[in-house]
Structure formats: structure tokens, C-alpha cells
Amino acid sequence: MQEQLINFVMYIIYIPIVIIIHELGHALFVVLFGKEVREIQLGFGEDLFRIKKFVVKRSMGWSVGYCSWENIDSLAWYKKLLIFLGGIILNLLTATLVWIFGDVQYADWYRAFIVVSYFIAVINLFPFKSNITKIDSDGLQCIKLLNSMKQGN
């Protein structure tokens, strides 16, 4: 019973960490391609606290994040695609590195991080628009980009 409680607590702790890593993945590619990151946020609603461009919001239990950046319309399509997939890429990369290089004796502590990271990565591949935040998923942004290319826009 105690082990199950520890696992549950670890999932709760790791969700906001994985969300932040995800948003930093988007920001990484934005900066890499010479654009400016305006804000990285965890949660939605009113500001709880802010440190430069990072802000924690009061709502959504910190299970949602968002990265805003300056206009990327001038970038090549593949750079936009990498920006949209940046969070997924960084989630998969960090989880895989922890899985490969993690010390087995501490596996009970980092197993939840790996599971949550892969889960967040896979969920963000699905094309959907959040009813609560009104934001397109990474998968939906990719589909819209590819469709606009197909139509010649």
C-alpha cells in the first residue's frame, strides 16, 4: 500500500515537471531558429507568480502548459514543424535518457517520470482543440501546417 501511495505522489509531482520540459522543448526550437519566446506558462488563469518569461498560473492544476512566441510565419515549413513538435521531442528525449542512464536502484523514483513523459508526448500527437483552453494540440498544429502547405498557402 505504501509503495502505491509513493507511486501516486510521484505521478502528481512529475506532471508539472514534464509539462515544463515539454514547453521548454518548444522554446528551444523557437530560439534555435532565431525567434523570441514571449512566455512559458504552467496552468491557466490568473498569475500565481512570474519569473521573467516563466509564469505559473492558478488554474488547471498545473496539468496544462503553453509556450508563446513571436510570429513564425517567415520560417520554413520544416522549422515550424520542429517548433510544434519540440515539446514532444524533448519529452521523448528526456524520458529515454533517464530510462537508459537511470540507476536501477532508484527506478521506483524515476519510473513515473518516464511514464508521464511518454504519455504527455503521445497525447500531444493527437489532433484536438482543448474545450477549456481553446488551444490546438501539437498534433493539430502539425496537421494544419501540413494542410496549408498542401493547399499552397
Side-chain angles (χ1 to χ4, degrees):
M1 178 68 177
Q2 184 179 7
E3 185 178 317
Q4 292 172 335
L5 180 61
I6 289 170
N7 283 337
F8 178 74
V9 170
M10 295 311 294
Y11 280 93
I12 300 301
I13 291 170
Y14 285 140
I15 288 172
I17 294 169
V18 170
I19 298 292
I20 291 168
I21 290 170
H22 182 92
E23 300 311 330
L24 288 173
H26 294 299
L28 173 73
F29 283 99
V30 168
V31 171
L32 186 67
F33 298 137
K35 297 294 183 174
E36 183 182 345
V37 174
R38 291 189 177 135
E39 184 176 85
I40 296 174
Q41 69 183 47
L42 180 61
F44 277 88
E46 297 177 29
D47 289 7
L48 186 60
F49 70 86
R50 175 182 296 272
I51 302 171
K52 297 190 179 192
K53 293 184 181 189
F54 178 73
V55 62
V56 175
K57 303 285 189 168
R58 291 185 186 271
S59 300
M60 298 297 293
W62 304 342
S63 61
V64 178
Y66 184 72
C67 180
S68 64
W69 51 76
E70 71 176 298
N71 191 315
I72 60 170
D73 288 345
S74 63
L75 293 177
W77 69 270
Y78 65 90
K79 290 181 179 181
K80 293 179 203 173
L81 191 63
L82 283 170
I83 289 170
F84 296 151
L85 294 174
I88 294 167
I89 291 168
L90 198 57
N91 282 144
L92 294 175
L93 179 65
T94 56
T96 303
L97 288 174
V98 168
W99 189 1
I100 292 170
F101 296 111
D103 190 334
V104 175
Q105 76 182 31
Y106 301 111
D108 288 341
W109 292 100
Y110 64 73
R111 185 178 300 115
F113 174 81
I114 294 169
V115 171
V116 170
S117 294
Y118 284 133
F119 179 77
I120 295 295
V122 169
I123 290 299
N124 276 282
L125 281 173
F126 286 103
F128 66 90
K129 181 186 263 313
S130 169
N131 289 336
I132 297 168
T133 62
K134 306 297 183 211
I135 295 174
D136 295 346
S137 71
D138 299 338
L140 184 56
Q141 288 177 333
C142 292
I143 288 174
K144 286 181 175 181
L145 173 66
L146 296 173
N147 279 340
S148 71
M149 289 179 44
K150 188 176 174 182
Q151 296 171 357
N153 294 334

